[in-house]
């Protein structure tokens, strides 16, 4: 069970992640005909999945534990092996909430892929945070990384999945857990996406986790080269934005001879951002770092149908999917290792 310190911090995290409602404009004094108020923004439209698509719930059990999950299977999934994306939610979220906020199921139809949403159990953490900071949950074959890897393999066996195109991404604690998972299983995951997370090895217990979240931590050198895309808001008050920079630095370490290009942009009517892409020559990017100006601890470009989103930012979901699908594991990279559990 988490210490009282980390539980308090988690509650603060969830509180900080909630979007503040805009203040109502005040009527101008002494004016007989005040200007009419702007019409309220429409609620997000519920988009029904295509016929023959499925969003199913399930439970996975193994020697390392048991977790519930949901999986989205697109309408045209029969036959051809498809990519699989594992999405790890943040603290205070559920699989359904994360799916709504990221709109990843709609992209699954557009890009033809399966999306798996493992769900943290309250028995493992009272606020449904993935335990990325604990020593027993940071290595291959141990704790939550081992359980999530086993779940991923079970989905690959049961569904039409291309084992060369399996990816993992997450938000906050989920982002930190995704980085741990990619680092521990480079023979399973072809690329990693981290939104508002911390680097692998940034903490070893609840106390060091609090320090890393507040001040930033460089973490540890990666054990393998894995393509990584990073999103972080410049005004994140929950996880210091320095952690996004540290994730990028660590992701770049195993690669040599990269050049970088920087792009500045703005979402129409929304936030400015800086994207830095690192690649070999004219090839595909192996690391992308997105910094969203003025954004806090929330999924960039997300839908208000879910929690902890910033609709004014660039579309992190679409950017991640496009980045992921440019990477795949070779047969040699997927070969079992002697230390594989």
């Amino acid at each position: 069970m988490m210490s009282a310190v980390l539980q308090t911090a988690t509650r603060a995290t969830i509180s900080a992640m909630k979007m503040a409602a805009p203040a109502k404009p005040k009527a101008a004094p002494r004016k007989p005909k005040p200007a009419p108020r702007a019409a309220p923004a429409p609620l997000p439209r519920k988009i029904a999945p295509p016929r023959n698509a499925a969003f199913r719930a399930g439970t996975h059990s193994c020697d390392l534990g048991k977790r519930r999950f949901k999986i989205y299977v697109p309408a045209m999934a029969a036959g051809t092996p498809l990519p699989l994306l594992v999405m790890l939610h943040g603290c205070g979220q559920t699989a359904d909430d994360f799916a709504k906020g990221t709109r990843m199921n709609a992209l699954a139809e557009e890009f033809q892929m399966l999306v798996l949403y493992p769900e943290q159990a309250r028995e493992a953490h009272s606020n449904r945070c993935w335990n990325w900071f604990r020593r027993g949950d940071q290595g291959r074959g141990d704790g939550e990384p081992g359980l999530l890897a086993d779940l991923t393999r079970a989905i690959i066996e049961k569904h039409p999945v291309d084992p060369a195109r399996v990816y993992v991404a997450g938000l906050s604690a989920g982002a930190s857990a995704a980085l741990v998972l990619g680092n521990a299983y480079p023979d399973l995951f072809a690329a990693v996406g981290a939104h508002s997370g911390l680097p692998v090895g940034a903490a070893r217990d609840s106390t060091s986790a609090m320090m890393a979240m507040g001040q930033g931590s460089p973490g540890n050198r990666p054990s393998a080269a894995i393509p990584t895309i990073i999103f972080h808001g410049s005004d994140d008050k929950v996880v210091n934005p320095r952690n996004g920079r540290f994730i990028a630095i660590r992701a770049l370490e195993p690669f040599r001879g990269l050049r970088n290009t920087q792009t500045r942009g703005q979402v129409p009517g929304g936030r400015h951002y800086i994207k830095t892409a690192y690649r070999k020559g004219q090839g595909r990017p192996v690391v992308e770092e997105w910094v969203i100006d003025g954004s806090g601890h929330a999924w960039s470009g997300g839908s208000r149908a879910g929690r902890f989103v910033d609709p004014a930012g660039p579309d992190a979901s679409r950017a991640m999917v496009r980045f992921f699908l440019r990477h795949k594991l070779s047969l040699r990279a997927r070969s079992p290792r002697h230390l594989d559990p």
Side-chain angles (χ1 to χ4, degrees):
M1 182 58 64
M2 300 292 299
S3 68
V5 174
L6 190 59
Q7 289 181 356
T8 301
T10 303
R11 288 193 293 270
T13 297
I14 295 172
S15 176
M17 289 170 69
K18 292 181 179 178
M19 301 293 291
K24 295 181 179 179
K26 296 180 179 179
R30 298 180 181 177
K31 284 188 177 182
K33 294 182 179 181
R37 293 182 180 181
L43 294 174
R45 181 169 59 92
K46 291 185 178 180
I47 301 176
R51 192 172 183 179
N52 298 327
F55 193 32
R56 302 190 184 97
T59 301
H60 177 75
S61 299
C62 66
D63 293 342
L64 295 169
K66 179 173 69 174
R67 293 294 185 277
R68 292 186 299 178
F69 66 87
K70 295 200 75 172
I71 183 167
Y72 187 86
V73 181
M76 303 298 291
T80 306
L82 301 180
L84 169 65
L85 173 57
V86 181
M87 291 285 285
L88 302 179
H89 62 74
C91 296
Q93 291 185 303
T94 63
D96 282 310
D97 177 55
F98 200 36
K100 291 175 184 176
T102 60
R103 292 182 296 209
M104 202 59 84
N105 291 353
L107 292 175
E109 285 294 336
E110 180 180 346
F111 289 93
Q112 284 298 286
M113 62 183 188
L114 286 80
V115 187
L116 171 65
Y117 301 89
E119 192 167 87
Q120 179 65 303
R122 287 202 181 276
E123 294 78 11
H125 192 287
S126 60
N127 284 306
R128 297 189 184 276
C129 301
W130 298 100
N131 293 299
W132 58 272
F133 54 89
R134 298 196 312 197
R135 291 180 183 272
D137 293 297
Q138 295 181 340
R140 186 181 180 91
D142 294 328
E144 290 176 358
L147 192 161
L148 292 169
D150 195 77
L151 167 59
T152 302
R153 290 186 180 119
I155 296 298
I156 293 173
E157 292 177 2
K158 185 176 180 180
H159 295 272
V161 173
D162 179 357
R165 296 183 294 166
V166 179
Y167 314 100
V168 60
L171 170 66
S172 191
S176 306
L179 290 163
V180 169
L181 198 56
N183 187 68
Y185 295 93
D187 51 340
L188 182 58
F189 298 99
V192 177
H195 199 311
S196 311
L198 296 95
V200 177
R204 292 293 182 180
D205 53 32
S206 58
T207 301
S208 57
M210 286 300 303
M211 293 179 62
M213 289 169 63
Q215 302 174 14
S217 170
N220 299 333
R221 292 181 64 89
S223 59
I226 182 165
T228 305
I229 180 169
I230 306 110
F231 274 78
H232 217 113
S234 67
D235 284 7
D236 192 333
K237 300 299 190 294
V238 178
V239 176
N240 193 306
R242 293 180 65 196
N243 286 296
R245 180 87 279 264
F246 285 135
I247 293 171
I249 290 171
R250 289 304 193 191
L252 288 165
E253 282 184 313
F255 297 99
R256 295 291 181 267
L258 299 182
R259 68 179 187 90
N260 71 77
T261 56
Q262 193 172 90
T263 304
R264 294 176 181 269
Q266 182 182 12
V267 177
R271 299 195 185 280
H272 291 83
Y273 62 87
I274 299 175
K275 180 184 78 169
T276 308
Y278 300 83
R279 54 169 57 87
K280 288 186 178 181
Q282 300 298 318
R284 62 194 175 186
V286 293
V287 175
E288 278 189 13
E289 180 186 10
W290 295 63
V291 178
I292 302 94
D293 186 37
S295 188
H297 196 69
W299 189 272
S300 180
S303 167
R304 287 192 178 89
R307 304 174 70 200
F308 314 139
V309 297
D310 181 5
D315 190 343
S317 296
R318 182 172 292 274
M320 285 189 181
V321 170
R322 285 177 169 168
F323 178 87
F324 291 152
L325 294 180
R326 301 186 72 179
H327 297 278
K328 60 192 302 184
L329 288 176
S330 66
L331 184 61
R332 180 180 179 182
R334 302 198 313 269
S335 61
R337 299 182 174 187
H338 68 278
L339 67 164
D340 201 9

